[in-house]
Amino acid sequence: ITEFSGERAKRFNVNSWISLLRKPVDLQHFIWPVDIISWQDNNTTEYALVFPLRAMPTFSKLSDVLSDDEHLGWRQGWVKELVADFLNAWSNFDFSGYAYHEFSEQNMFYHSKTHNVMFDFSFSTHKAKSIYSAQYVSPSNITPEYADSFYFTEDRHSEMDLASDYYSIAVILFKLLIGRLPYQGTVMEHEPDTTPKEHENWLK
């Protein structure tokens, strides 16, 4: 069970979440909620998502493998397998009409033997009406290295759209296949890029 809190609770729309629960995506690759519960706490309605309890094989965070640049690259057999499964999972999600908005190495997992991937559920997941239909995404949920740089501009007001998802996917694939982030060149690699605020100031 994962409880809503803070900004998520304020923006909660029970009908949109019920619709999302009734139309799950690729359950082989996504940890998807199966129910939503509510209760009263000090005259306030609280909500939580319920996830299935299942015997999953041991998965490691994608960050564990992406941190080791020496073992990445398109020539590696296991990288090809992981990328193929990654693209298959994301394509199924995308074709289902959903936007995710929190793609990063922190909420993606891989199996060390089969190289299959598993995505953690994102509270920013929603049905996308178009590629540019935007939704607010809290800075606390964003990993700056993988986030669309437009997200950090004043004009964007912390909103993301499907184009933001495509950006994140491209960055992750680049890291897997090349071994570095796209902007880790000799000029840019020493720029501060560790927190949303530093990222925003650097962009300015």
Side-chain angles (χ1 to χ4, degrees):
I1 294 179
T2 303
E3 187 174 339
F4 285 94
S5 62
E7 194 65 38
R8 292 170 180 165
K10 292 180 184 178
R11 297 174 178 271
F12 178 76
N13 182 317
V14 66
N15 291 326
S16 64
W17 279 98
I18 289 175
S19 174
L20 183 139
L21 294 177
R22 288 178 175 173
K23 297 179 180 179
V25 296
D26 179 0
L27 298 182
Q28 179 182 349
H29 294 99
F30 284 84
I31 303 171
W32 203 259
V34 294
D35 201 0
I36 185 167
I37 58 176
S38 64
W39 66 93
Q40 293 295 318
D41 185 11
N42 297 326
N43 296 322
T44 302
T45 303
E46 302 286 345
Y47 297 93
L49 292 179
V50 180
F51 291 85
L53 179 64
R54 55 181 173 175
M56 290 175 51
T58 302
F59 279 79
S60 301
K61 279 191 175 182
L62 194 62
S63 56
D64 296 341
V65 69
L66 290 184
S67 63
D68 189 353
D69 296 351
E70 298 299 322
H71 291 84
L72 299 176
W74 62 272
R75 290 186 178 88
Q76 305 285 347
W78 71 268
V79 171
K80 295 177 183 178
E81 292 179 8
L82 191 147
V83 166
D85 198 65
F86 173 85
L87 286 174
N88 180 53
W90 172 68
S91 295
N92 291 342
F93 185 82
D94 189 46
F95 290 150
S96 297
Y98 286 99
Y100 190 83
H101 298 342
E102 293 180 28
F103 283 113
S104 80
E105 59 184 11
Q106 296 298 321
N107 52 25
M108 295 169 56
F109 308 88
Y110 79 101
H111 192 282
S112 59
K113 292 184 179 179
T114 64
H115 303 115
N116 290 338
V117 299
M118 177 71 72
F119 295 81
D120 197 3
F121 183 78
S122 165
F123 277 96
S124 297
T125 295
H126 68 286
K127 293 291 287 185
K129 299 178 182 177
S130 69
I131 190 172
Y132 296 117
S133 60
Q135 172 175 304
Y136 171 84
V137 183
S138 171
S140 63
N141 301 333
I142 297 303
T143 304
E145 287 80 4
Y146 300 94
D148 180 2
S149 56
F150 189 38
Y151 169 84
F152 295 96
T153 63
E154 294 180 359
D155 296 338
R156 197 55 170 170
H157 306 295
S158 297
E159 292 183 332
M160 285 188 165
D161 52 30
L162 267 179
S164 302
D165 280 10
Y166 300 155
Y167 176 93
S168 299
I169 293 296
V171 172
I172 292 171
L173 289 175
F174 194 97
K175 175 72 171 178
L176 282 168
L177 295 170
I178 305 300
R180 299 173 69 83
L181 292 169
Y183 40 79
Q184 281 184 308
T186 55
V187 176
M188 302 175 70
E189 64 184 357
H190 301 296
E191 296 293 339
D193 193 34
T194 56
T195 67
K197 189 62 178 176
E198 287 177 327
H199 191 84
E200 179 181 358
N201 291 335
W202 175 74
L203 285 171
K204 291 179 180 179

